[in-house]
Amino acid sequence: GTWSSPRSCDRGERLVAFRLRVEAPRGLWDDTAANDMDVTCSDGTVLQGRGGPLGTWGNWSVPCPHGWGVCGLRTRLEPPQHRGDDTGLN
């Protein structure tokens, strides 16, 4: 894939919640796994991702408490499958 241009909350605002669009496993077909992410800023603005159309949106994360923000994201990556289908971010 390719990187899209960076997006951020307005100055002084923080990222406080997010949700992912994830494609379920397809068996022998090419799996894409995580395809897109939307985020919510502390002022209520939703920044929509620019990812792929495949998959289903998950639930929004629990919002950060007032005055706090997301400072990282823990992810799980599938190791290289060598002969199998690699998905990347899961």
Side-chain angles (χ1 to χ4, degrees):
T2 58
W3 290 102
S4 62
S5 58
R7 302 187 71 194
S8 60
C9 298
D10 288 341
R11 187 176 191 88
E13 303 298 330
R14 299 169 194 81
L15 187 153
V16 295
F18 66 93
R19 69 178 182 162
L20 293 174
R21 183 192 322 238
V22 179
E23 182 186 34
R26 300 180 58 202
L28 296 176
W29 299 99
D30 186 28
D31 293 325
T32 58
N35 288 307
D36 205 349
M37 183 171 84
D38 289 344
V39 301
T40 301
C41 300
S42 53
D43 65 355
T45 300
V46 175
L47 301 177
Q48 295 180 329
R50 298 177 181 143
L54 299 176
T56 304
W57 285 106
N59 295 328
W60 283 95
S61 67
V62 175
C64 297
H66 180 73
W68 291 62
V70 175
C71 62
L73 182 65
R74 182 177 175 187
T75 62
R76 183 184 321 204
L77 301 176
E78 180 182 51
Q81 299 300 295
H82 304 293
R83 293 183 182 208
D85 181 24
D86 294 327
T87 58
L89 178 63
N90 291 295

